[in-house]
Amino acid sequence: MQTLMLSTEEIDKAAQIIREGGLVAMPTETVYGLAADAYNGKAVANIFRAKGRPMDNPLIVHIADISQIYGLVREFPEKARILADKFWPGPLTMILPKSERIPDEVSAGLDTVAVRCPSDPYARKLISLSSPLAAPSANLSGSPSPTTAHHVFSDMNGRIDAIIDGGECDVGVESTVITLAVQPPRLLRPGGITLEQLRGAIGEVVLDDAVLNPLKSGERAASPGMKYKHYAPQAELTLLKGSEESFLKFVNGMKDGKTAVLCYDEDIPRLELPFIPLGRAMDHDVQASRLFSALREADDKGFKRVYAHCPHTDGVGLAVYNRMIRAAGFKVIELDDKTS
Ligand code: TXA
Ligand code: MG
């Protein structure tokens, strides 16, 4: 299959591909999504094939307007309405009881559906010209999510019908996922809308254990995506916890030509080995927007080992931490641990 690269002027062509049951990668404000008509189970099944995604990992349905939600869900509770008013369009996904119309391929057999209203104008236009779109991130399953059309092309060329090149994504990590199908609501995946913002809007929100920790053996994931290895580069990523001094001492001892550092801007003058900057230490938004392309860059440059600071967990930092700890397979070295 030849994968077409489309400009943002050619969205009507992309919409036609969707209407005919094809697959189109679209920009969103978070990461690129691999879209199919959410009401076409056969087209949705092809998304799983193209990504190599396990069939038990459900997809998010993207809508352009709140009125489209009524075809998708059985209930739209008051708290969901408040969150939609406050944060849609934007990087927030809500899990709600699903309507009969949702094909099993979308919800992977669950009784719920994940819904999001993206703010990206090109995603919104594509939805308006076609239908609600089921779309996971447009990467091969397991690898870092794509934040440019070029990332999508390198994973998906020959596997999908088209890619809309809408430039670089703004947020850079996937949407916040909250389930309102349980009481109290539960944060399943942190993202651009923070836990603090959610609590400010609707009160109690529980932080699911799997956001910060690996699943215990035999434990069932509230969000099936959390049980799979994720976001991982080819290089072996390790996070380092400790003071700035011990961080620099540790990484500067690793000069072997095959090792790089994902660093903060403040580290740069004192680093003695190759580095990829993620932004300033406290600038979580910039770190989020650069993280996935930094992981891909480390692979493109052929590094075998990558070290990074263990991120702070406040605000959008929680999303950066959640992605990095998974990309590292939960490998963290405590540099200042006096007991070892
Ligand atoms: O920002 C985003 O959310 C991007 C863009 C393209 O919109 N999409 C995205 O999709 O990240 P994906 O498939 O890579 O991640 C969706 C996550 C998975 O962890 C999945 O298990 C979870 O949401 N999910 C989807 N439906 C669910 C449901 N009904 N119940 C629990 N978790 C669900
Ligand atoms: Mg994904």
Side-chain angles (χ1 to χ4, degrees), residues 174-309:
E174 307 85 346
S175 61
T176 302
V177 178
I178 184 172
T179 175
L180 294 131
V182 297
Q183 256 319 320
R186 182 172 279 264
L187 181 74
L188 302 183
R189 182 176 74 181
I193 303 297
T194 64
L195 182 59
E196 294 86 342
Q197 285 175 298
L198 295 171
R199 286 177 175 159
I202 57 168
E204 185 178 7
V205 175
V206 174
L207 180 62
D208 195 87
D209 224 26
V211 168
L212 296 171
N213 302 303
L215 282 178
K216 296 174 196 78
S217 88
E219 193 179 358
R220 204 180 130 268
S223 179
M226 289 197 284
K227 70 181 180 220
Y228 296 108
K229 188 170 183 209
H230 248 110
Y231 318 116
Q234 303 294 314
E236 184 183 8
L237 176 67
T238 305
L239 305 187
L240 302 176
K241 223 179 215 175
S243 67
E244 176 71 4
E245 282 310 309
S246 37
F247 178 84
L248 289 165
K249 189 166 162 220
F250 182 93
V251 296
N252 284 335
M254 296 288 166
K255 284 173 284 187
D256 59 2
K258 297 191 172 96
T259 303
V261 183
L262 296 192
C263 68
Y264 295 146
D265 295 352
E266 294 89 328
D267 305 326
I268 294 173
R270 295 176 63 195
L271 285 172
E272 296 167 14
L273 71 171
F275 58 82
I276 303 170
L278 281 182
R280 296 185 64 79
M282 293 315 289
D283 200 341
H284 305 315
D285 291 338
V286 172
Q287 291 162 26
S289 72
R290 291 192 189 159
L291 175 63
F292 288 138
S293 55
L295 293 175
R296 283 178 182 259
E297 187 181 330
D299 283 345
D300 292 345
K301 292 187 169 157
F303 293 113
K304 298 288 175 253
R305 273 172 300 281
V306 176
Y307 291 99
H309 289 278

Side-chain angles (χ1 to χ4, degrees), residues 21 23 37 39-47 49 103 105:
L23 303 186
D37 176 353
Y39 292 126
N40 180 341
K42 242 167 108 181
V44 172
N46 287 332
I47 293 180
R49 248 169 252 137
E105 288 84 352

Side-chain angles (χ1 to χ4, degrees), residues 135-169:
S137 50
N139 50 288
L140 284 174
S141 199
S143 64
S145 294
T147 54
T148 66
H150 174 75
H151 295 161
V152 179
F153 189 81
S154 72
D155 277 20
M156 290 297 172
N157 183 25
R159 295 172 161 261
I160 63 176
D161 297 291
I163 301 169
I164 301 168
D165 186 351
E168 215 168 297
C169 299

Side-chain angles (χ1 to χ4, degrees), residues 30 53 57-58 60 62 95 112 114 116 136-137 174-175 189 223 225:
T30 57
R53 179 176 174 110
N57 192 3
I60 297 172
H62 297 67
I95 294 173
T112 52
R116 158 162 132 78
S137 50
E174 307 85 346
S175 61
R189 182 176 74 181
S223 179

